[in-house]
Amino acid sequence: MATNENLPPNVIKQLAKELKNLDETPPEGIKVGVNDDNFSIIFADIEGPAGTPYENGVFRMKLILSHDFPHSPPKGYFMTNIFHPNIATNGEICVNALKKDWNPNLGLRHVLIVIRCLLIEPFPESALNDQAGKMLRENYDEYAKHARVITEIHALKPKPKFKTGTISESAATINVDQTNSSVKSVDHKNATSFTEQPSPLAPKPENGQDQQSVTSSTETGVSGSATSTQKKESGLTKVPADKKKMDARKKSLKRL
């Protein structure tokens, strides 16, 4: 486990547990990082809340823990330049959670959430940046415009967030559609080839006759030959029967 001269082992153990929890279930818009060899400095990237002049910006800050933490509050500093009434030009943060409202039972999660909320609702009455505080009180639109310009210039850009599997699912859907289309086109071509190509066994049309007339004549010829064959067979069967009758008559005449 990481150690630090300024922090007692029991505090380091508690911080390690809390930092693990922050990493597994981070607060909205906050990502925490730490040096494993020095738990006395906690880093965090805070996303500018939507609807504020800090939207579309990411601000890096740090919390410095004193040797008697958690009995005394950490000191907070913004490392990214930001125009805010409660954040000094050197980055120092003025928030009650890090001053008079500090409680040893408050965790790092609570402190970080309060700091992000400060970007949503500044308190110009306790300003560390007098220019920002005065501008906010007198002309919010001018304050917001100035804060937005500083955000665009100095703030980090948020990384794009993608829903897990959306592209692959979209790609899979496209591939399936393309496959179905190709199969349908192949089936259509095969069906067309079967209907359009004449059978190699069929007689070729002559004298301008179309395929249908040839086919019908062929069918007629086949049926006619079958009929004649049946007649011949019936005739052959009748001959032996008549002969037997004649032989029987001759025998009867001889007896008389």
Side-chain angles (χ1 to χ4, degrees), residues 223-239:
S223 60
S225 60
T227 305
S228 61
T229 304
Q230 290 177 355
K231 287 182 179 180
K232 288 180 181 179
E233 290 178 352
S234 61
L236 291 175
T237 55
K238 287 181 180 180
V239 170

Side-chain angles (χ1 to χ4, degrees), residues 56-127:
N56 298 324
V58 176
F59 302 87
R60 184 155 295 170
M61 59 151 298
K62 63 181 178 181
L63 293 174
I64 301 177
L65 312 184
S66 60
H67 67 281
D68 58 347
F69 178 86
H71 301 291
S72 61
K75 292 184 179 297
Y77 295 89
F78 267 77
M79 303 170 67
T80 303
N81 193 353
I82 184 172
F83 187 74
H84 191 284
N86 305 114
I87 301 172
T89 54
N90 67 347
E92 183 181 355
I93 304 170
C94 177
V95 62
N96 289 335
L98 298 180
K99 295 184 180 297
K100 63 179 183 178
D101 291 342
W102 172 253
N103 187 319
N105 295 324
L106 295 177
L108 297 178
R109 178 183 294 271
H110 175 79
V111 172
L112 292 171
I113 291 175
V114 168
I115 292 174
R116 187 170 187 266
C117 288
L118 197 65
L119 301 183
I120 301 174
E121 187 176 356
F123 295 95
E125 296 79 11
S126 56

Side-chain angles (χ1 to χ4, degrees), residues 164-224:
T164 306
T166 301
I167 298 177
S168 60
E169 289 176 2
S170 301
T173 303
I174 294 171
N175 291 334
V176 169
D177 292 340
Q178 290 177 345
T179 304
N180 292 337
S181 300
S182 61
V183 169
K184 288 180 180 178
S185 62
V186 170
D187 291 342
H188 178 70
K189 288 181 180 178
N190 292 339
T192 305
S193 62
F194 281 128
T195 55
E196 292 180 354
Q197 293 181 357
S199 171
L201 299 178
K204 296 181 180 179
E206 296 179 359
N207 301 327
Q209 293 180 342
D210 59 6
Q211 186 64 31
Q212 185 176 359
S213 61
V214 172
T215 305
S216 61
S217 62
T218 303
E219 291 176 352
T220 305
V222 172
S223 60

